[in-house]
Amino acid sequence: MELQNNIVEMKREFGEFDKVRFTFRYLKVNNVERTIIEKELSDLTLKINEADNGSFVITFPLTADINSERIKNLNEKIKLSDSQYGIFVAFTTNYDHSGFRLPKEIRNFYQVVGGEFDCSIIMMKSD
């Protein structure tokens, strides 16, 4: 299982692929924090959405080449709580019983940065 960009595809026995997408996200950041994150991570592909309460959600693809110490230092610099950032994993499968192991790069990143670890599992029904 190899991390390509921020996606792992696993071929299953009937030719279908399970797909796992890894994203890092900031939740409930204010405008000042958003501006700092945008500036510090300007080289990354950031997606910024404004929430109903005037706060922001910022996401970017979590790839093997992102320096975990860089993200950890940024989070400490703007004094975010652990509940305001973390890894989001979206797992799409055609099976009602399937699973995967996190790639080493994602495990190592999480051990350094910490935060929340949220998962979404989507089962696609095959016809």
Side-chain angles (χ1 to χ4, degrees), residues 9 18 42 45 50 57 67 99 117 126-127:
E9 287 188 334
D18 282 353
S42 62
T45 304
E50 189 170 359
V57 175
N67 183 309
F117 197 97
S126 299
D127 291 331

Side-chain angles (χ1 to χ4, degrees), residues 58-77:
I58 303 172
T59 62
F60 58 87
L62 188 54
T63 60
D65 60 341
I66 293 179
N67 183 309
S68 56
E69 288 293 332
R70 175 185 180 198
I71 304 302
K72 177 184 175 188
N73 292 337
L74 173 58
N75 296 347
E76 290 172 353
K77 176 182 177 178

Side-chain angles (χ1 to χ4, degrees), residues 20-60:
V20 187
R21 183 179 311 268
F22 301 94
T23 305
F24 191 82
R25 67 181 179 177
Y26 289 100
L27 301 168
K28 300 178 185 174
V29 295
N30 63 38
N31 196 44
V32 171
E33 295 163 339
R34 177 191 58 85
T35 301
I36 294 169
I37 292 168
E38 278 184 298
K39 181 181 175 195
E40 296 285 330
L41 303 180
S42 62
D43 59 314
L44 301 179
T45 304
L46 301 178
K47 183 177 178 185
I48 301 170
N49 293 310
E50 189 170 359
D52 293 335
N53 59 5
S55 66
F56 296 87
V57 175
I58 303 172
T59 62
F60 58 87

Side-chain angles (χ1 to χ4, degrees), residues 89-123:
V89 179
F91 176 43
T92 305
T93 182
N94 287 310
Y95 299 89
D96 61 356
H97 58 283
S98 188
F100 64 94
R101 178 171 288 180
L102 291 174
K104 181 179 179 181
E105 301 91 345
I106 299 299
R107 292 191 316 263
N108 292 344
F109 182 93
Y110 186 72
Q111 287 177 341
V112 172
V113 176
E116 298 292 329
F117 197 97
D118 299 320
C119 298
S120 170
I121 301 170
I122 304 159
M123 187 202 165

